[in-house]
Amino acid sequence: MKFSIKSGTPEKQRGACVAVGVFEPGKLTEAAEAMDKIAGGYIGGILRSGDMKGNAGSTLVLHNVPGTLCERVLLVGLGKEQEINDKAYRDAVRAAFKALHETGATDATLFLTDVPMKERGAAWKVSQAVIVAMESIYRFDRLKSKIEGAKPHLRKITLGTTSRAELAASEEALQQGLAIADGMNLAKNLGNLAPNICTPTYLAEQATGIAKTHKLKVTILGQKDMEKLGMGSLLAVARGSRQPAKLIALEYWGQAKKERPIVLVGKGVTFDTGGISLKPAAEMDEMKYDMCGAASVLGTITAIAQMRLPLNVIGIIPTTENMPGGNATKPGDVVTSMSGQTIEILNTDAEGRLILCDALTYAERYEPETVIDIATLTGACVIALGHVASGLLSNDEELAEELLRASGQAADPAWRLPLWDDYQEQLKSNFADIANIGGRAGGTITAACFLSRFTRKYRWAHLDIAGTAWKSGKEKGATGRPVPLLTQFLIGRTVKKGR
């Protein structure tokens, strides 16, 4: 789909369809009023007849509306005017595109960015509209021998605005929305691939391809390289697999190298059986999504490279499978991490933290300004926060608040959990410096506490995306989160520094 911004009034728009909003109970938005006026009250008459009441998520397609220049008018229900929030707006846009895809329209002009919202300008509404629109046409069918369903007819979307003052900001927001959507699609595609295809080697190849496309620097470490660096913790997870582990470093330098970089570390377990601490068979296929942290890092770097953001970002991806086997790590084994700290592995299914801790130590060589790790780390986070918010833990108050603001701006929710020293007691080991699990109580927190032992030299935050990286059931598939949150955080950094 091609997108554009156009300043003008809806009644003058030609084309296959013009979409305007209707509040509950049947109150027209300014754009809808303009259409109704030129139609001689036709739209208002439809509403008074009870065919549509403006309920949130409702839509009504009108053909051959008198006085209009377009083939169709799409009425989009917005709910109560005083209750239009981020979710309501996104849901309205989603409903609009669902309705548009069910028509034969090849182009459409949407006048939803002028809908009044508290604390949200046209730029935010444009960016979110683009992201939702791209989500509406996402399909993952590359592994099917026969493509099911017809391709969407929509090829051109114009986001209309009656305000010339916000046109420049809206244009920039459109490009940001497209970049974020592309980054999300990359993350989704990698997550949705079968695990016999998306291996550690495949992820390394994808990172190399991204580096080539955007002229970035990439470094791929193999087993011997990691052995030389003393990455005993990461390599312990890889011992049961025939697929060679990798550590990927993708470098985006949008500023002078004297500017300390932001480092994103993404967990890349391309399939997680649990190892010797074997998982139950039910839904084990979904453990191909255990590399969604890595996918989000690649998606985010792709997005910022498209936007050419003026800042330095390093993506580090430790990637491996976690498999049982005669050479696999056993519960009770003690390994030495790159940091020199020894770890007693009490449960081989708590493997994500084992590969992340060596990657977090590796990040020190970049003298980072900030490090954020992203991981499908704990089932406990799903129990605590469900599938709505990602878990956020940090050793820095300002960084935590900055990420929470970005999550709100991006409509990619996160919720902060405590990282108190009291929880460190649960990680004590009689035989090593630290145990890799701390029991069932506070599992998300103790996992972050484990990682915090390896992040004392820099500002650090941890995003647990176990509940938000993919969906199960009928809509099974990767979500592309938290690419929007991470990208918005990085955009915010450029704004903060006035670049």
Side-chain angles (χ1 to χ4, degrees):
M1 272 195 304
K2 291 185 177 180
F3 292 84
S4 63
I5 301 287
K6 187 175 183 180
S7 175
T9 54
E11 73 275 12
K12 295 181 180 179
Q13 306 306 313
R14 299 180 182 272
C17 188
V18 171
V20 293
V22 179
F23 293 114
E24 189 181 332
K27 180 184 176 183
L28 300 174
T29 59
E30 287 186 16
E33 283 180 350
M35 294 295 282
D36 188 47
K37 183 177 180 181
I38 200 170
Y42 179 82
I43 295 174
I46 292 287
L47 297 179
R48 285 191 295 273
S49 71
D51 287 0
M52 186 186 189
K53 297 179 180 178
N55 295 342
S58 62
T59 56
L60 182 64
V61 179
L62 305 177
H63 293 265
N64 303 315
V65 176
T68 61
L69 302 176
C70 55
E71 296 172 17
R72 307 169 184 80
V73 173
L74 173 62
L75 304 182
V76 182
L78 301 171
K80 295 180 180 179
E81 186 172 4
Q82 63 273 24
E83 295 179 3
I84 297 293
N85 56 21
D86 293 0
K87 183 178 183 302
Y89 175 78
R90 284 170 54 87
D91 286 348
V93 175
R94 189 173 290 110
F97 277 97
K98 182 177 184 296
L100 286 168
H101 291 314
E102 291 171 355
T103 72
T106 57
D107 64 89
T109 302
L110 276 67
F111 280 87
L112 298 177
T113 56
D114 288 343
V115 173
M117 292 178 65
K118 292 180 179 178
E119 301 178 0
R120 297 296 188 211
W124 183 89
K125 286 176 275 188
V126 165
S127 177
Q128 290 301 314
V130 171
I131 292 168
V132 172
M134 293 298 289
E135 286 178 341
S136 76
I137 62 169
Y138 177 80
R139 302 286 186 277
F140 185 81
D141 48 26
R142 61 178 283 188
L143 303 181
K144 293 186 177 183
S145 59
K146 186 177 180 180
I147 307 302
E148 298 175 0
K151 290 184 178 181
H153 296 285
L154 273 176
R155 294 193 294 269
K156 180 182 176 184
I157 300 296
T158 302
L159 299 175
T161 176
T162 56
S163 172
R164 286 188 173 274
E166 295 187 283
L167 201 57
S170 294
E171 288 281 4
E172 183 181 13
L174 187 150
Q175 298 306 318
Q176 290 178 351
L178 285 172
I180 292 169
D182 285 346
M184 292 176 70
N185 283 349
L186 173 62
K188 289 178 188 178
N189 288 340
L190 290 172
N192 288 331
L193 275 172
N196 60 317
I197 297 173
C198 187
T199 62
T201 299
Y202 183 88
L203 281 181
E205 291 169 351
Q206 297 308 298
T208 301
I210 292 167
K212 185 176 181 180
T213 299
H214 297 288
K215 296 180 173 56
L216 312 180
K217 180 182 177 181
V218 65
T219 303
I220 311 293
L221 302 186
Q223 180 172 329
K224 290 183 178 179
D225 302 310
M226 291 185 277
E227 286 174 351
K228 288 178 182 178
L229 291 169
M231 293 186 174
S233 185
L234 192 163
L235 292 172
V237 177
R239 286 181 56 179
S241 175
R242 294 185 180 184
Q243 292 289 342
K246 307 285 184 184
L247 186 123
I248 305 162
L250 189 59
E251 303 178 22
Y252 171 86
W253 298 96
Q255 278 284 294
K257 290 195 175 183
K258 66 179 181 180
E259 294 272 352
R260 296 166 63 197
I262 296 167
V263 175
L264 305 177
V265 179
K267 174 186 171 184
V269 177
T270 57
F271 196 78
D272 181 17
T273 66
I276 297 299
S277 305
L278 195 66
K279 292 178 181 290
E283 299 179 346
M284 192 194 282
D285 64 289
E286 295 186 6
M287 288 301 97
K288 69 178 185 177
Y289 293 116
D290 215 15
M291 43 60 67
C292 283
S296 71
V297 169
L298 294 178
T300 300
I301 289 182
T302 296
I304 66 169
Q306 283 188 22
M307 288 185 278
R308 298 182 179 179
L309 289 189
L311 75 174
N312 298 332
V313 180
I314 311 296
I316 298 176
I317 296 171
T319 178
T320 179
E321 290 181 335
N322 184 24
M323 302 289 285
N327 196 44
T329 295
K330 306 171 293 296
D333 283 0
V334 175
V335 299
T336 303
S337 67
M338 184 181 176
S339 71
Q341 297 177 79
T342 58
I343 304 165
E344 183 184 13
I345 301 175
L346 296 177
N347 188 323
T348 64
D349 194 23
E351 86 299 330
R353 64 203 73 182
L354 295 176
I355 71 171
L356 286 170
C357 70
D358 278 346
L360 289 168
T361 302
Y362 185 81
E364 292 175 8
R365 65 184 51 212
Y366 293 101
E367 299 181 359
E369 191 275 335
T370 295
V371 176
I372 303 168
D373 79 74
I374 310 99
T376 49
L377 205 63
T378 65
C381 195
V382 185
I383 301 302
L385 300 177
H387 301 285
V388 177
S390 300
L392 168 64
L393 302 97
S394 179
N395 63 9
D396 186 273
E397 291 293 322
E398 184 180 347
L399 175 59
E401 289 300 318
E402 195 176 353
L403 283 164
L404 287 174
R405 286 193 299 272
S407 78
Q409 180 75 9
D412 187 359
W415 188 260
R416 191 178 183 189
L417 296 170
L419 191 68
W420 300 334
D421 288 341
D422 309 59
Y423 292 99
Q424 295 281 0
E425 292 293 315
Q426 293 174 231
L427 295 172
K428 284 187 174 180
S429 166
N430 290 344
F431 308 107
D433 296 331
I434 186 175
N436 80 320
I437 57 170
R440 289 177 61 85
T444 301
I445 298 170
T446 55
C449 284
F450 177 94
L451 296 176
S452 73
R453 304 272 187 114
F454 303 86
T455 62
R456 289 168 175 158
K457 295 183 179 180
Y458 46 70
R459 300 168 72 229
W460 160 77
H462 164 64
L463 287 170
D464 193 327
I465 60 170
T468 55
W470 79 93
K471 294 180 180 179
S472 301
K474 185 179 179 181
E475 296 183 353
K476 182 186 291 185
T479 63
R481 296 177 63 186
V483 170
L485 187 164
L486 294 169
T487 309
Q488 183 59 51
F489 168 78
L490 295 171
I491 292 170
R493 278 299 178 92
T494 64
V495 173
K496 185 178 179 180
K497 293 186 177 182
R499 292 171 176 165

